[in-house]
């Protein structure tokens, strides 16, 4: 397909998906739960647990008591006993809730990201600041927690795509029928595509990127191509690409 034809396909799919009905228990997505609360900390929880089957993710998120973000740390630990999700133990889940509880008492996640982003214009700097802040608020380590929260990479150009965080930023920054648009001061043009296996496979198939490795460089390459279609908002095609791959449209 020519790039002009691909753009028409993506424009059509993006417009078709931009509706509240695209999120439902029949078509599950962690954004379904995040949309119910419209809270930056709850949305981050939904994004970070956004791996595995979409139905499994939503079932787990529906079991979480987000009111624990305002509870004592003792109660958080007590009420998460026995709660697990794939690689995460109850201790890992409690650690995330405690870190976000402490964050809520000090400053917003938005301010952490926006301050670092504002200095450089790079959303990746905002991401590194967010990860660093959460880790410093509640120093805790385990294999499951490291997978959930991530670490600031030694080589930012040679790392994974940080898909779940990039998805979170999409939710927080963009404003449409799907995304929450809770944050201000971050230009949607600076967002990076949340690269998952669906978008990577579809991007390769459509010729939107050439890099076969599933990593940050591939995410940046795909984002650069999508900026040719919409320089002001390249990530608006993310959900369309995801659904195209999920539904086998291309």
């Amino acid at each position: 397909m020519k790039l002009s034809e691909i753009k028409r396909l993506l424009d059509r799919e993006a417009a078709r998906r931009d509706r509240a009905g695209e999120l439902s228990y029949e078509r599950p997505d962690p954004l379904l739960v995040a949309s119910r609360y419209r809270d930056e900390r709850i949305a981050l929880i939904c994004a970070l647990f956004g791996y595995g089957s979409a139905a499994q993710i939503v079932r787990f998120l529906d079991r979480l008591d987000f009111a624990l973000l305002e509870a004592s740390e003792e109660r958080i630990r007590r009420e998460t006993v026995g709660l697990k999700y794939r690689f995460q133990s109850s201790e890992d889940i409690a650690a995330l809730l405690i870190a976000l509880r402490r964050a809520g008492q000090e400053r917003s996640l938005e301010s952490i990201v926006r301050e670092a982003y504002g200095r450089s214009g790079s959303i990746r700097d905002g991401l590194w600041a967010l990860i660093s802040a959460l880790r410093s608020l509640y120093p805790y380590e385990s294999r499951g927690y490291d997978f959930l929260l991530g670490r600031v990479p030694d080589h930012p150009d040679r790392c994974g795509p940080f898909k779940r965080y990039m998805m979170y930023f999409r939710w927080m920054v963009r404003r449409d029928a799907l995304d929450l648009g809770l944050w201000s001061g971050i230009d949607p043009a600076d967002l990076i595509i949340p690269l998952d296996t669906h978008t990577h496979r579809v991007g390769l198939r459509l010729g939107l990127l050439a890099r076969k490795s599933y990593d940050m460089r591939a995410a940046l390459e795909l984002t650069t191509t999508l900026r040719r279609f919409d320089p002001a908002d390249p990530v608006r095609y993310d959900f369309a690409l995801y659904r195209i791959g999920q539904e086998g449209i291309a």
Side-chain angles (χ1 to χ4, degrees), residues 100-156:
L100 288 172
R101 175 190 184 273
R102 293 181 180 180
Q105 294 176 329
E106 293 195 6
R107 60 188 298 201
S108 68
L109 305 183
E110 177 184 8
S111 68
I112 295 169
V113 174
R114 192 169 59 192
E115 181 180 310
Y117 162 81
R119 288 194 295 266
S120 67
S122 169
I123 195 64
R124 285 192 287 172
D125 286 340
L127 170 56
W128 312 145
L130 179 58
I131 292 174
S132 297
L134 292 175
R135 285 197 169 275
S136 66
L137 282 164
Y138 187 64
Y140 168 84
E141 292 190 17
S142 75
R143 185 175 180 182
Y145 193 63
D146 286 350
F147 178 90
L148 186 66
L149 203 61
R151 288 189 176 278
V152 177
D154 293 330
H155 303 285

Side-chain angles (χ1 to χ4, degrees), residues 39-49 64 66 68-71 73 76 92-110 112 130-131 133-138 145 148-149 165 168 183:
D39 176 276
E40 65 168 8
R41 290 182 297 165
I42 293 174
L44 181 57
I45 293 169
C46 293
L48 292 182
F49 282 105
L64 281 181
F66 295 113
L68 290 174
L69 289 170
E70 310 302 331
E73 295 183 12
I76 289 173
D92 300 331
I93 296 167
L96 178 62
L97 292 173
I98 291 170
L100 288 172
R101 175 190 184 273
R102 293 181 180 180
Q105 294 176 329
E106 293 195 6
R107 60 188 298 201
S108 68
L109 305 183
E110 177 184 8
I112 295 169
L130 179 58
I131 292 174
L134 292 175
R135 285 197 169 275
S136 66
L137 282 164
Y138 187 64
Y145 193 63
L148 186 66
L149 203 61
Y165 280 105
Y168 174 64
W183 290 357

Side-chain angles (χ1 to χ4, degrees), residues 151-223:
R151 288 189 176 278
V152 177
D154 293 330
H155 303 285
D157 289 326
R158 299 201 301 272
C159 64
F162 283 84
K163 175 256 181 180
R164 289 169 291 147
Y165 280 105
M166 297 307 176
M167 180 174 68
Y168 174 64
F169 290 158
R170 192 201 91 202
W171 295 353
M172 292 295 101
V173 173
R174 297 192 67 258
R175 293 174 174 84
D176 60 10
L178 293 173
D179 292 325
L180 305 176
L182 299 179
W183 290 357
S184 60
I186 297 175
D187 192 338
D190 294 327
L191 296 177
I192 298 171
I193 196 79
L195 190 71
D196 65 7
T197 54
H198 291 298
T199 53
H200 186 243
R201 184 176 67 250
V202 172
L204 286 170
R205 189 176 302 159
L206 294 177
L208 297 173
L209 77 161
R211 186 170 178 79
K212 293 182 171 59
S213 298
Y214 174 65
D215 57 12
M216 179 62 77
R217 289 184 181 180
L220 293 171
E221 182 184 345
L222 179 55
T223 304

